[in-house]
Amino acid sequence: MPGQAVKVPAAHQVLAVLGYLARQAAPVPAAAITRDLQLPRSTTYQLLTTLAESGFVVHLADERRYSLGVAAYELGTGYVRQAPLQRIARVPLGRLVDRTGHTAHLAVLHGREVIYVIEERAPGRPPLVTDVGVRLPAHLTASGRAMLAALTRAHVRALYPEPDAFVTRHEVGPRSLSALSRILVETRRRGHAIEDGEVTPGLVSVAVAVLDSAAYPVASVTLTFPDYAPAEEQTVLVAEVNRTARAVAHRIGGQLHSAAE
């Protein structure tokens, strides 16, 4: 009928599965999807197989569970890159720079990389490699480590399935999943991530993840400063980053950080 939307059952089922996975706090078995969405078992597996082939779903074979994949997150970061998150976070980041005198960034996670979406450069500070639009390996950056630490361990394993995933910039940084896991455990314990000279020698970065209402890391707030900053000053800088991340999280109705299991 002219003017009337045509419903496509398969499309509705795909969207239902993606929406369901997005609402979960952790990966779920196919049986839970079948039960909660009242889908035939065969349909559930067909949908999951297709979504996994296109990257929208990740099958965690060891756990026999499913979670959202990189392609699904790319849709989310596409929304983020189109401005809402930047508009929400720009004022808090500007205030962070004013209070500390150091350059601040907002980054989002895209697979095994971080993408920098805001740079608030402090007056008189030199430009950094982390300009807007730049991608860097997540495991090397404070921004990435803060967000990876907020993911489940199974999710991190799925992102780093083999040693080739661990690239370096200056021959430093984790080169195995066990090495990265130790860094993430320490990051969870501290509540913030640290990177010291692994991206740019002579510079230290500290970062705190910003979580949405489902405890997913939508971004991280990062501050970069010279490695000769006294320990007392660094303690103050970490507190300021936490304060800013809390302000951004409040604005999106989310959380600050949590320990992923």
Side-chain angles (χ1 to χ4, degrees):
M1 182 179 296
Q4 184 175 0
V6 177
K7 292 185 178 181
V8 182
H12 281 273
Q13 292 171 341
V14 166
L15 293 174
V17 170
L18 291 174
Y20 178 83
L21 290 174
R23 293 190 296 272
Q24 306 310 306
V28 296
I33 300 172
T34 296
R35 180 193 66 234
D36 294 344
L37 297 182
Q38 298 182 342
L39 294 171
R41 184 174 181 272
S42 60
T43 299
T44 299
Y45 279 100
Q46 289 171 359
L47 292 172
L48 289 172
T49 298
T50 300
L51 288 168
E53 289 173 351
S54 58
F56 284 91
V57 164
V58 173
H59 180 211
L60 306 173
D62 292 344
E63 301 182 24
R64 298 182 181 179
R65 291 171 181 263
Y66 293 84
S67 68
L68 289 179
V70 172
Y73 187 65
E74 187 172 14
L75 290 178
T77 56
Y79 166 81
V80 168
R81 288 194 299 273
Q82 289 171 12
L85 185 57
Q86 290 94 311
R87 291 177 178 174
I88 288 170
R90 193 170 296 281
V91 169
L93 257 70
R95 291 172 178 166
L96 173 62
V97 172
D98 291 342
R99 292 194 304 267
T100 64
H102 296 294
T103 297
H105 295 86
L106 189 81
V108 297
L109 189 64
H110 185 197
R112 292 197 296 264
E113 296 180 315
V114 293
I115 304 174
Y116 293 90
V117 296
I118 297 180
E119 179 189 50
E120 289 290 336
R121 190 182 304 171
R125 297 292 180 183
L128 303 175
V129 68
T130 47
D131 200 356
V132 171
V134 167
R135 295 170 178 252
L136 289 175
H139 63 281
L140 292 183
T141 67
S143 298
R145 291 169 181 177
M147 290 183 280
L148 290 172
L151 299 177
T152 65
R153 290 168 176 82
H155 197 156
V156 174
R157 285 196 300 271
L159 288 174
Y160 295 90
E162 53 193 22
D164 290 349
F166 293 93
V167 299
T168 64
R169 282 176 58 84
H170 301 286
E171 301 303 317
V172 291
R175 300 193 183 193
S176 67
L177 182 58
S178 60
L180 175 61
S181 296
R182 288 192 292 272
I183 291 173
L184 299 184
V185 167
E186 182 63 15
T187 297
R188 294 185 191 100
R189 185 191 66 78
R190 284 192 308 257
H192 67 272
I194 298 174
E195 174 268 311
D196 188 351
E198 292 158 85
V199 174
T200 302
L203 294 177
V204 175
S205 293
V206 295
V208 174
V210 177
L211 308 188
D212 65 14
S213 59
Y216 192 87
V218 296
S220 60
V221 173
T222 307
L223 196 68
T224 300
F225 48 88
D227 60 5
Y228 53 75
E232 296 81 2
E233 179 184 353
Q234 293 191 30
T235 299
V236 172
L237 296 178
V238 168
E240 291 292 349
V241 174
N242 268 285
R243 176 182 174 184
T244 302
R246 187 176 292 109
V248 176
H250 177 73
R251 288 180 173 215
I252 66 170
Q255 307 175 29
L256 181 55
H257 59 75
S258 68
E261 295 300 334

